[in-house]
Amino acid sequence: MKILAIIGSPREEGNTAQLVKEMVRDIKGAEVKTFHLNKMDIRGCQACMYCRSNPGCIQPDEMQQIYKELTEADLVVVGFPIYMWQMTGQTKLFVDRLFAYYNYDGNMPTYKDKGVILAICQGAENGIFKSYIDETVKMFRFLGFKSCEAIVAGGVGAPGDVLKKTDTIETARLLVRNHLNQ
């Protein structure tokens, strides 16, 4: 069993990373591979369309490592804070580069049919970003993560605040366990 954790926060040990760690902690028999997007050399999609007539993306950057792990993962967890009412720029680069594996017929044969979106919201309670999160879930489902769901931890600004959200942590762990048991 393989879990791929993508962390789109610039804070390596911030609330997003802490919640992702808590989500996948103690999953028996699981190998967890974590990528911190802020530390990686990932360029934006160049719209070169190489991927329309060739397998994968031609760009020789660190996104190639993520592509390999995506195809092998049983579960993908994408964690990001909300900045300016949207996912971080680091996360957006990752999402845009998923275009290389998008098939116009709507089939995504290289991805597993599992995914989780995790959003951390500073200073706001969960409901304020609901419409954005709902649209983000739809986008990930469109990209082939059919069982995509969201966990939103509102009001987590200071480092470590997310660890006080015990109900959110337990819900997130349960979501991961349920996905892996499907």
Side-chain angles (χ1 to χ4, degrees):
M1 188 174 340
K2 193 168 193 177
I3 300 173
L4 176 60
I6 306 289
I7 299 174
S9 173
R11 297 179 182 170
E12 191 172 342
E13 295 299 323
N15 286 308
T16 301
Q18 289 177 7
L19 185 53
V20 169
K21 284 180 191 175
E22 288 298 317
M23 287 178 80
V24 299
R25 187 170 59 96
D26 300 328
I27 303 294
K28 291 185 179 16
E31 173 191 345
V32 180
K33 179 74 175 190
T34 303
F35 288 100
H36 291 270
L37 297 176
N38 195 55
K39 294 171 56 177
M40 299 180 75
D41 176 29
I42 298 176
R43 296 186 59 213
C45 178
Q46 300 299 298
C48 68
M49 304 310 256
Y50 172 89
C51 61
R52 297 301 97 193
S53 56
N54 299 281
C57 178
I58 196 169
Q59 291 195 69
D61 63 8
E62 291 180 293
M63 186 66 186
Q64 298 299 330
Q65 297 169 30
I66 296 175
Y67 288 143
K68 179 183 180 305
E69 298 296 332
L70 271 171
T71 61
E72 297 173 1
D74 296 300
L75 176 65
V76 180
V77 176
V78 180
F80 56 88
I82 301 290
Y83 286 2
M84 301 303 293
W85 292 77
Q86 298 180 32
M87 66 180 67
T88 59
Q90 295 90 331
T91 309
K92 183 67 168 110
L93 283 173
F94 160 75
V95 170
D96 284 354
R97 292 288 297 282
L98 293 178
F99 179 73
Y101 285 89
Y102 173 70
N103 293 327
Y104 290 119
D105 63 4
N107 295 316
M108 300 295 283
T110 57
Y111 290 160
K112 296 292 183 178
D113 182 24
K114 298 177 186 266
V116 174
I117 295 175
L118 164 71
I120 306 296
C121 307
Q122 177 179 343
E125 289 309 313
N126 300 0
I128 195 167
F129 299 114
K130 183 177 180 346
S131 61
Y132 177 73
I133 298 302
D134 289 348
E135 291 301 313
T136 304
V137 167
K138 287 179 191 174
M139 178 203 52
F140 272 85
R141 287 180 180 157
F142 177 77
L143 287 170
F145 298 100
K146 302 299 183 204
S147 58
C148 186
E149 297 181 54
I151 296 292
V152 181
V156 292
D161 276 356
V162 75
L163 298 177
K164 299 171 191 169
K165 301 275 187 176
T166 55
D167 289 347
T168 302
I169 290 171
E170 190 49 44
T171 300
R173 286 179 181 159
L174 184 61
L175 182 62
V176 168
R177 282 189 222 108
N178 287 344
H179 275 283
L180 292 174
N181 291 329
Q182 289 179 354

